[in-house]
Amino acid sequence: MQPAYLFDIDGTLLKVRHKVNRTLIQRILERFGFNHIDVAGLDFAGKTDRDIFSELLKQPDVDMFHQVKQLYLQELERNLSARDIHVYNGVHDSLDYLRERAAWTGLLTGNFARAAKIKLAATGLLERFRFGAFGDDHHDRNELPPSAFEELVRHSGEPFRPSDLIIIGDTPRDVECARSFGSVAVAVATGSYSYEELTDCRADSVLHSLEEFPEWNERYMASRA
Ligand SMILES: [Mg+2]
């Protein structure tokens, strides 16, 4: 059986201009009275949106979290346009390649579901993904693969196993979450971690960019046969 593919978004498929994202988060924090936090130097790579806002707001209650989330999504929708987003080389070709093979292709991202949709719709990538797991309900990225897997089995009706999932991301957290579920971890060095750093965190494979993905997949499929 052909594997299913789960892609992270930020650092893997695309990059939202640093300044746009940080300015937006800073503005929201200030609106809620958190004037003393400077988000410019903080590291959000691999964290879920839920985790990021919970940490910044020092464990907000449910009401406050909900308000902040709604405001963030509104602001993102209002302010984000295609020119603020860079889609990495090889992304369109890799997704074309998977579509030609009718492979199940989904998302595994710490983004809130609506944030993921806003970013992908702005770049014309949204319709490439048929299922996914998002950061709305989970603090911990390791909780995402079981969710995505359940979605996949429900939509496809096929007897996938966790080892049939290929999880593609740009941080050690992506690698760890793939491993925690017994899935294949493919790391791509387009985000904030270098090829060497990703090799050190025991990914099954490391790619310099998704330009290498179709060829990698051909080799991988041959090794499974
Ligand atoms: Mg990422």
Side-chain angles (χ1 to χ4, degrees), residues 8 10-12 170-171 174:
D8 167 58
D10 298 280
T12 301
D170 68 302
T171 73
D174 298 78

Side-chain angles (χ1 to χ4, degrees), residues 25-124:
I25 293 174
Q26 190 85 51
R27 213 160 55 215
I28 291 167
L29 291 176
E30 281 166 14
R31 185 95 68 91
F32 282 83
F34 288 79
N35 300 316
H36 54 286
I37 302 171
D38 180 9
V39 299
L42 301 178
D43 175 24
F44 298 150
K47 292 189 178 177
T48 67
D49 281 351
R50 187 180 184 90
D51 194 24
I52 292 167
F53 281 109
S54 296
E55 253 177 47
L56 288 172
L57 300 167
K58 311 284 179 238
Q59 311 306 328
D61 60 31
V62 176
D63 251 17
M64 185 183 189
F65 179 79
H66 183 73
Q67 284 177 44
V68 168
K69 177 180 170 181
Q70 292 314 314
L71 185 60
Y72 170 67
L73 293 170
Q74 273 170 27
E75 292 280 318
L76 200 62
E77 194 142 49
R78 198 172 298 154
N79 293 300
L80 198 68
S81 68
R83 67 174 183 277
D84 299 319
I85 304 175
H86 171 68
V87 176
Y88 296 119
N89 292 343
V91 168
H92 286 284
D93 288 348
S94 294
L95 295 173
D96 285 347
Y97 164 86
L98 290 175
R99 184 161 63 185
E100 280 161 23
R101 277 150 194 79
W104 281 89
T105 304
L107 297 164
L108 191 147
T109 168
N111 276 261
F112 294 133
R114 206 170 123 210
K117 286 184 181 128
I118 293 166
K119 291 176 188 177
L120 293 173
T123 48

Side-chain angles (χ1 to χ4, degrees), residues 108 133-134 137-148 177 180:
L108 191 147
F134 304 91
D137 306 320
H138 305 289
H139 282 289
D140 184 351
R141 203 175 186 95
N142 290 0
E143 295 167 12
L144 295 175
S147 270
C177 96
S180 75

